[in-house]
Amino acid sequence: MEIRFADCSIHYGETVALHPLDLVLTERRIGVIGLNGSGKTTFARAINGLVKPSRGHVTVNGLDTSEDGPAVLGTVGFIFQNPQNQLILPIVADDIALGLKSRGVAKAEVAARVEGILMRFGIEHLARRRVHALSGGETQLVAMASVLVTEPDILILDEPTNQLDLKNRKRVIDTLAGLDEAAIVVSHDLSLIESFERVLLFHEGRLIADGMPGDVVKAYEAVALC
Amino acid sequence: MLKSLHVEGTTLLHRLSVRTKLAVLFAASLAVFLTVDPFVLGGAVLLSALVFATVGVSFSQAVSRLAWPLVSIGLVAGATAFFETPVHGLVVLFRFATLILLAATVTASTEVGDFMEEITRLMMPFERLGLVNAADIGLALGLVLRFVPEIATRYESLREAHAARGLPVRPLKMLAPLIILTLKDADMIAMAIDARGLRRH
Ligand SMILES: Nc1ncnc2c1ncn2[C@@H]1O[C@H](COP(=O)(O)OP(=O)(O)OP(=O)(O)O)[C@@H](O)[C@H]1O
Ligand SMILES: [Mg+2]
């Protein structure tokens, strides 16, 4: 996998959410940290093209997010900060099937793949449950399943352990550890990213540290406490 | 609290195909306009209320689902009675009450996913004529059915927030924050639909 930011900046009206950024990402596990409002979500959304650069380019495996939108969306799966809103159909299995159906996958194959992904996540028992009646941890796992069933190469998770209790947090971390896909994880939960290959620190819309988790976390503590 | 328009169950109505239910609803909506006899229409209201009762919606649930639609047609019927004749008002009331009860029966006994599939299928001929995108219409309908109850949930939490701060709870005052919250969520949901690639372009 290769994600490339080339002189990319992002504005929301007057607010500069991301200052011009040049960056190449190839690692399998990348963490993104920073204070509230530092631009993490904006950065993450730029990767799958939900937010387009105001200037410059973002490419994923050579696909430009501004020009090849649908192809990028097929390559990069995204789990939102509030995954409840991402589940569209009220029954878990139906919702997971939806992404496949809208891609024109045949009925028999849909059923098999839905079952496969439920098994992979160890949540077969949730198949017929209603999405509004799931716990936070279950919602997170179902959202991950509903995205991964369409086989993206890269998965972005925006604060996946936010609001989870210790047990569900561990489940999400274990699931994450077992993923074959590359993952970019935005998190305030620093222990979640401590084993990652690379961590990025954003501050006021700028990338101010980039490297091994230990060093970047130290830099984060320095900006957070001053 | 109303969390889902669908009611769990295995009643006859749950087992009927979506197509049959929609066809009956469609036929009924034509039929109620074929007569102006308030007795016949009153019978239709009773009949559809009985049908609705078989789906297994509890009484309090039934009230929370039907109260607002019935109040609004009550107003229209009242106006009709005032400007035309009381019998006219009654006819309007009975016609729409019948339809609301039948429509509520269909939504309560049908899974959103099945609904979406059937609507998408029904829209296919129009898609072939180049008039619509069938999958989009199915998706739009599914979204309405899935997220309308969430608006009720949100209203409830706004009400609690007001009460907790000792502020008077006035439904009209809550309208603005409710709309803003709903639009914000709608934005997120739209983004999620794009992110999940649920629409083919
Ligand atoms: N849709 C928007 N319109 C206007 N400004 C926005 C929008 N989204 C984000 N911003 C602004 O851009 C900046 C970066 O926001 P972003 O959501 O990327 O931060 P974040 O690091 O994800 O924060 P948090 O940790 O709170 O989730 C903030 O100043 C925010 O107010
Ligand atoms: Mg964020």
Side-chain angles (χ1 to χ4, degrees), chain A residues 86-87 95 101-102 130, chain B residues 6 111 117 146 196 200:
Chain A
Q86 165 165 9
L87 304 177
D95 185 79
K101 283 185 186 160
S102 64
R130 304 207 150 254
Chain B
H6 175 263
E111 279 294 354
E117 263 178 32
R146 155 89 165 88
R196 288 182 60 188
R200 275 170 292 165

Side-chain angles (χ1 to χ4, degrees), chain B residues 60 66-67 69 72 103 134 141 143:
Chain B
S60 62
L66 298 174
S72 32
L141 185 86
L143 286 170

